[in-house]
Amino acid sequence: MDYILGVDGGGTNTVAQIADSTGKLITENESGPSNYKSVGIENAKKSINNSILGAIRNLKNSKKIVFKSSCFGLSGNDSDYDLNIYEEIIFNNKIKKYLNPAKTIICNDTRIGLAAGSSSKNSIMIICGTGSNCYGINEKREEAKANGWDYILGDEGSGYNIGIKALRAIMRAYDGRGEKTLLSETILEDLNIKDISELIGWAYSESFSKEKIASIAETVCRTAEMGDKISIKILEEEAKEAVISVGAVAKKLNLTNKEFDLVLGGSVFMCEKYFKAIFIEKLKDKFPKINFKPLTKKPVSGAIRLAIKNL
Amino acid sequence: MDYILGVDGGGTNTVAQIADSTGKLITENESGPSNYKSVGIENAKKSINNSILGAIRNLKNSKKIVFKSSCFGLSGNDSDYDLNIYEEIIFNNKIKKYLNPAKTIICNDTRIGLAAGSSSKNSIMIICGTGSNCYGINEKREEAKANGWDYILGDEGSGYNIGIKALRAIMRAYDGRGEKTLLSETILEDLNIKDISELIGWAYSESFSKEKIASIAETVCRTAEMGDKISIKILEEEAKEAVISVGAVAKKLNLTNKEFDLVLGGSVFMCEKYFKAIFIEKLKDKFPKINFKPLTKKPVSGAIRLAIKNL
């Protein structure tokens, strides 16, 4: 049997799938994070090895395996410099014997997410999760991206951005610099925090975590649904940012007047009324021929799909 | 001779001054940072001790000294909880014999900055430096503050905020998500950075530093003077934030229709045309009876002044 390998490496975990050449899943295995920018090269290598070796152990005759084709979708893989590092990480002594270098794709995790969500030749993926990112490809195989520069250089439209704005809105209300907002109660409640002075401790005492700030986006969504103007404004602003990202990628790929798929990924899209609906409405106005595709499959399945196309 | 002690403890250094009871400076000594929130309790204690003991060593008969009155203006001293910690730090075995607890004021560093810049009974200080902060006091001795919640919870009007917005403007232009800006050239030039991929390394490879991001504010000011619209917009937005902070404090202190001093501190006010001038113009419209006072003396001199008033 021919075996196909797909790997989805992210900031939280790494998922490896092995499938047959028709794409039928045989086994899956998960390990720790593998974005070298956040966990370092050695830990990234360990996670990638563990995810693949664990999946291989689930097979019979595991020693004789060489993957016919494989695809790695890795977050943090944004430049030629990064690609060199990931090549070093991937073709290491523990796993290189299983790989066929001529049939190994190493791309960004948005690329596999896009493949998991759309089979159209013209397609864009937008992720609004802890961070945000937008990536697309057209029928000429041209690729383009926008946004996704993380918490300092900017990932507008992300849960992190929503969380930061919500926290600052609380402090503005507390100071008398801004309008009152229900967020002052709901955020403290959801974080199980007594008062503002404890909130300050929460924000600064532990080591900086994008994830804990991004988790506030869920509260903002709930508070918006309670009618809170500040929450609605924050979500609208960030939905518009997501629209701007898609517009920038569509323009670079010459898709402005063409039909294309738009795959939506990331937890912020679970905020239906004040984020997703506004996002969709504004994009429909701009690009009437857009097909919205919620991401229903795991991104790793896109890695399998790309590996099979490369057979 | 009666000796007076003033201490200015900040995130960068700690300055101790000894003066006579007329306020005439006798000696000054400087040591490391003493904001316990950033350097920890033990290091804060060490810096405070070193600054004071060094100043005392400069005096004759240093062993017999007990300060008639003293005042500590300490950054990070924002709540009763903080005050308890700073009392433990200050009344330690190495220096407590020099202090008269009944005549020792422990306040925030904005309080001494205000005293250094104004002798009016109704006065507000606004700091727009790396961070920002606004603090005031009225004739009833009521105090109020706004802003100054640091880089997560917000210090709008700060060099840090200006720097972050400028970096994000570069990435927006790079992505095609935003207008072109001269900042794309000037920031890389000033930071001695080759291209965007090196900028990403600069932003994330080293440990997070507010100071390095805030230093970009100077570039934004220069680029605004070259006519760059994005830079002008960023500076205007942040100048308005500083105006909002002053307005919130003035309102809390019932100074809206009264004459009061406004002391300006921090490096961002060196940006004359597109920050300071806009800030002053907008405030004059709102509060015609305001007296602007640039801070020309060292904040530690305000600690001496407060200690003498408490004699």
Side-chain angles (χ1 to χ4, degrees):
Chain A
M1 185 194 276
D2 288 341
Y3 290 107
I4 309 295
L5 173 69
V7 178
D8 174 19
T12 315
N13 59 9
T14 303
V15 184
Q17 278 192 353
I18 299 174
D20 68 17
S21 56
T22 69
K24 198 184 148 216
L25 179 64
I26 300 170
T27 185
E28 181 181 299
N29 185 51
E30 197 176 316
S31 63
S34 57
N35 182 335
Y36 88 89
K37 288 173 184 169
S38 46
V39 299
I41 289 177
E42 280 314 306
N43 287 324
K45 189 186 285 180
K46 211 189 261 177
S47 294
I48 288 173
N49 286 355
N50 287 347
S51 69
I52 296 171
L53 295 173
I56 289 174
R57 271 194 298 271
N58 295 341
L59 301 176
K60 289 174 194 165
N61 302 320
S62 60
K63 284 191 177 164
K64 289 178 193 159
I65 282 170
V66 175
F67 293 109
K68 194 88 177 170
S69 178
S70 56
C71 173
F72 292 75
L74 303 168
S75 74
N77 183 20
D78 301 312
S79 67
D80 290 344
Y81 179 83
D82 297 327
L83 181 60
N84 281 333
I85 288 177
Y86 276 119
E87 281 175 346
E88 292 282 331
I89 289 174
I90 288 168
F91 294 108
N92 74 75
N93 287 332
K94 287 195 177 166
I95 60 169
K96 68 179 177 189
K97 62 179 171 185
Y98 301 109
L99 301 172
N100 172 0
K103 292 285 178 189
T104 299
I105 298 168
I106 303 172
C107 58
N108 186 270
D109 59 339
T110 49
R111 179 73 195 91
I112 62 169
L114 183 60
S118 166
S119 52
S120 164
K121 282 181 177 167
N122 290 318
S123 55
I124 297 176
M125 169 149 204
I126 173 116
I127 299 172
C128 298
T130 294
S132 66
N133 208 342
C134 188
Y135 165 86
I137 189 162
N138 68 12
E139 54 207 338
K140 293 181 188 161
R141 315 312 292 158
E142 292 164 334
E143 300 176 45
K145 74 157 270 181
N147 213 333
W149 303 112
D150 217 343
Y151 64 100
I152 294 177
L153 298 178
D155 49 5
E156 286 81 3
S158 66
Y160 174 77
N161 250 34
I162 293 168
I164 282 278
K165 283 189 174 180
L167 289 171
R168 292 185 179 180
I170 295 182
M171 300 315 289
R172 296 181 81 89
Y174 178 76
D175 278 353
R177 283 182 299 140
E179 278 175 60
K180 286 195 177 172
T181 163
L182 292 176
L183 288 168
S184 305
E185 294 151 35
T186 54
I187 290 181
L188 296 190
E189 229 172 76
D190 286 4
L191 295 174
N192 199 18
I193 280 175
K194 197 173 70 238
D195 56 22
I196 292 290
S197 98
E198 205 178 309
L199 179 71
I200 297 167
W202 178 87
Y204 294 105
S205 67
E206 294 169 56
S207 62
F208 177 73
S209 157
K210 286 177 285 182
E211 287 74 17
K212 71 178 192 178
I213 291 171
S215 73
I216 293 172
E218 219 178 303
T219 305
V220 181
C221 185
R222 185 162 59 82
T223 311
E225 279 163 8
M226 291 158 74
D228 184 65
K229 279 182 196 167
I230 300 274
S231 305
I232 292 171
K233 189 170 166 252
I234 292 171
L235 292 169
E236 276 181 356
E237 280 172 8
E238 295 305 305
K240 279 181 201 167
E241 288 292 344
V243 170
I244 291 171
S245 294
V246 174
V249 171
K251 196 176 165 194
K252 287 191 217 178
L253 296 176
N254 279 313
L255 296 178
T256 314
N257 295 310
K258 291 192 184 137
E259 188 174 336
F260 66 91
D261 278 3
L262 180 67
V263 181
L264 314 185
S267 56
V268 182
F269 284 110
M270 299 204 303
C271 186
E272 290 282 343
K273 189 170 167 193
Y274 291 105
F275 189 87
K276 191 177 171 186
I278 290 167
F279 171 79
I280 287 179
E281 183 197 20
K282 294 211 175 290
L283 272 178
K284 270 187 185 161
D285 286 351
K286 273 188 152 178
F287 309 108
K289 293 182 197 163
I290 203 166
N291 303 313
F292 292 94
K293 301 259 178 178
L295 186 63
T296 52
K297 288 179 194 162
K298 284 190 180 182
V300 68
S301 70
I304 294 288
R305 183 183 267 186
L306 291 176
I308 289 172
K309 272 178 83 172
N310 194 37
L311 268 175
Chain B
M1 187 195 274
D2 288 340
Y3 290 108
I4 308 295
L5 173 69
V7 177
D8 174 19
T12 315
N13 58 12
T14 302
V15 184
Q17 280 192 353
I18 299 175
D20 68 18
S21 56
T22 69
K24 199 184 146 213
L25 178 64
I26 299 170
T27 186
E28 181 181 299
N29 184 51
E30 198 176 315
S31 64
S34 57
N35 183 334
Y36 87 91
K37 289 173 184 170
S38 46
V39 300
I41 290 177
E42 280 313 306
N43 287 325
K45 189 186 286 181
K46 211 190 259 178
S47 294
I48 288 172
N49 286 355
N50 287 346
S51 69
I52 297 170
L53 294 173
I56 289 173
R57 271 194 296 274
N58 295 340
L59 301 175
K60 290 173 192 166
N61 302 318
S62 58
K63 286 192 178 163
K64 290 178 194 160
I65 282 170
V66 174
F67 293 109
K68 195 86 177 169
S69 177
S70 55
C71 173
F72 293 76
L74 304 168
S75 75
N77 183 22
D78 301 312
S79 68
D80 289 346
Y81 179 83
D82 298 327
L83 182 60
N84 281 333
I85 288 177
Y86 277 118
E87 280 174 346
E88 291 283 329
I89 288 174
I90 287 169
F91 294 107
N92 74 75
N93 287 332
K94 284 194 178 168
I95 59 168
K96 68 179 177 187
K97 64 180 171 183
Y98 301 109
L99 301 171
N100 173 359
K103 291 287 178 186
T104 299
I105 298 168
I106 303 173
C107 58
N108 187 271
D109 58 338
T110 49
R111 179 72 194 91
I112 62 170
L114 183 60
S118 166
S119 52
S120 165
K121 280 180 179 168
N122 290 318
S123 55
I124 296 176
M125 170 150 203
I126 173 114
I127 298 172
C128 297
T130 294
S132 66
N133 207 342
C134 189
Y135 165 86
I137 189 162
N138 66 12
E139 54 206 338
K140 292 181 189 161
R141 316 312 291 160
E142 292 163 335
E143 300 177 45
K145 74 157 271 179
N147 213 333
W149 303 112
D150 217 343
Y151 65 100
I152 294 177
L153 299 178
D155 49 5
E156 286 82 2
S158 65
Y160 174 77
N161 250 33
I162 293 168
I164 281 279
K165 284 189 172 179
L167 289 171
R168 292 184 179 180
I170 294 182
M171 301 315 291
R172 297 181 81 89
Y174 178 77
D175 278 352
R177 284 182 297 140
E179 278 175 61
K180 286 196 176 171
T181 162
L182 293 176
L183 288 168
S184 305
E185 295 151 35
T186 55
I187 289 181
L188 297 189
E189 229 172 75
D190 285 5
L191 295 174
N192 200 18
I193 280 175
K194 197 171 71 237
D195 56 23
I196 292 290
S197 96
E198 204 178 310
L199 180 71
I200 296 167
W202 178 86
Y204 294 105
S205 67
E206 294 168 56
S207 62
F208 176 74
S209 156
K210 286 178 286 183
E211 286 74 17
K212 73 178 191 180
I213 291 171
S215 73
I216 293 172
E218 218 178 304
T219 305
V220 181
C221 185
R222 186 162 57 83
T223 311
E225 280 164 7
M226 291 158 74
D228 184 64
K229 279 182 196 166
I230 299 274
S231 306
I232 292 171
K233 189 169 165 253
I234 292 172
L235 291 170
E236 276 181 358
E237 279 173 8
E238 295 304 305
K240 279 181 201 166
E241 287 292 344
V243 169
I244 290 170
S245 294
V246 174
V249 171
K251 196 175 166 197
K252 288 191 216 179
L253 296 176
N254 279 312
L255 295 178
T256 314
N257 295 309
K258 290 192 185 139
E259 189 176 335
F260 66 91
D261 279 3
L262 180 67
V263 181
L264 313 184
S267 56
V268 182
F269 284 111
M270 298 206 302
C271 185
E272 290 282 344
K273 189 171 168 191
Y274 291 105
F275 189 87
K276 192 176 171 187
I278 289 166
F279 171 80
I280 287 179
E281 182 196 23
K282 295 213 175 287
L283 272 178
K284 268 186 184 162
D285 285 352
K286 273 190 153 179
F287 309 108
K289 293 181 197 163
I290 204 168
N291 303 311
F292 293 95
K293 301 262 178 173
L295 186 63
T296 51
K297 289 179 192 162
K298 284 189 179 182
V300 66
S301 69
I304 294 288
R305 184 184 267 184
L306 291 175
I308 290 172
K309 272 176 84 173
N310 193 39
L311 268 175

